[in-house]
């Protein structure tokens, strides 16, 4: 666990959403890093955001290694990028889970760092047979190579920064 400035990160996320008009339903799975092959310093980040939301970066069928997704898509999000670098995260995303929703049980190829930005008492993450409430203001290393799921039994959206890390 590490102490995190979640208010500052939330400001970075809101700035990105407003600046690039990424309103929609909000960051369900907003990609924060890209690979060098798709990195274009002068390109409009909305193009990458569209690719991240249409499934190009989801699941295990990535055309490039997940470890290649290390370049910040939104360099102006300085605090957010600070934490991504501090924890050595790659293929980092803003992940939201709406109220009364549950993720399917799955395994990831690598552990993950979770940084809860907004949560509520009804949110839980279950890893194998252990149930956890990840509190805002901290960063958590999670062994998501084990079977796991998450649910939001509360009334507000749950938003986490989630990044892959090496085991």
């Amino acid at each position: 666990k590490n102490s995190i400035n979640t208010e500052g990160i939330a400001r970075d996320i809101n700035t990105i959403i407003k600046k690039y008009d990424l309103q929609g339903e909000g960051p369900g799975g907003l990609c924060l890093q890209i690979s060098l092959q798709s990195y274009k310093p002068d390109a409009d980040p909305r193009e990458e955001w569209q690719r991240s939301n249409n499934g190009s970066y989801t699941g295990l069928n990535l055309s490039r290694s997940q470890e290649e997704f290390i370049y910040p898509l939104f360099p102006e999000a300085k605090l957010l990028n600070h934490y991504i670098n501090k924890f050595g995260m790659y293929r980092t995303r803003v992940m939201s889970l709406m109220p009364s929703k549950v993720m399917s049980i799955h395994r990831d190829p690598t552990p993950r760092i979770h940084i809860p930005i907004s949560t509520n008492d009804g949110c839980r993450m279950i890893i194998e047979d252990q149930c956890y409430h990840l509190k805002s203001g901290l960063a958590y290393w999670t062994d998501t190579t084990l079977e796991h799921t998450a649910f939001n039994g509360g009334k507000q959206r749950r938003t986490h920064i989630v990044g892959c890390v090496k085991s």
Side-chain angles (χ1 to χ4, degrees):
K1 295 179 188 178
N2 286 284
S3 182
I4 301 292
N5 178 352
T6 54
E7 290 177 7
I9 293 175
R11 279 192 299 274
D12 276 357
I13 294 168
N14 288 332
T15 298
I16 291 167
I17 290 170
K18 288 177 186 166
K19 180 175 181 180
Y20 298 104
D21 193 27
L22 305 177
Q23 299 302 319
E25 294 206 5
L30 175 62
C31 186
L32 298 172
Q33 292 171 296
I34 57 176
S35 73
L36 184 59
Q37 291 179 348
S38 57
Y39 181 65
K40 300 171 194 150
D42 298 326
D44 186 340
R46 285 176 283 208
E47 294 173 23
E48 287 297 324
W49 182 78
Q50 289 294 338
R51 270 196 287 265
S52 74
N53 279 357
N54 74 14
S56 313
Y57 298 153
T58 59
L60 300 178
N61 298 323
L62 297 171
S63 59
R64 292 177 287 281
S65 165
Q66 293 186 48
E67 292 182 23
E68 291 181 33
F69 287 75
I70 59 173
Y71 299 93
L73 183 54
F74 305 102
E76 65 272 27
K78 296 194 183 310
L79 185 61
L80 182 53
N81 291 321
H82 162 77
Y83 287 117
I84 289 171
N85 291 329
K86 176 179 179 176
F87 296 119
M89 297 190 294
Y90 56 92
R91 195 173 162 256
T92 305
R93 296 154 294 152
V94 178
M95 301 295 292
S96 287
L97 190 59
M98 298 304 285
S100 303
K101 298 294 180 187
V102 179
M103 293 180 63
S104 63
I105 296 173
H106 64 284
R107 293 175 187 248
D108 297 321
T110 65
R112 305 282 197 255
I113 296 283
H114 275 254
I115 303 174
I117 304 304
S118 61
T119 188
N120 62 69
D121 290 338
C123 294
R124 296 289 184 273
M125 183 171 193
I126 300 169
I127 302 175
E128 293 218 312
D129 59 354
Q130 297 292 311
C131 186
Y132 304 93
H133 174 65
L134 305 184
K135 296 179 181 180
S136 190
L138 298 171
Y140 299 84
W141 182 91
T142 57
D143 189 355
T144 54
T145 63
L146 304 172
E147 281 193 341
H148 65 281
T149 185
F151 64 86
N152 182 353
K155 295 185 180 186
Q156 292 83 32
R157 176 194 309 242
R158 166 196 184 260
T159 302
H160 285 199
I161 304 299
V162 179
C164 302
V165 291
K166 294 181 181 178
S167 358

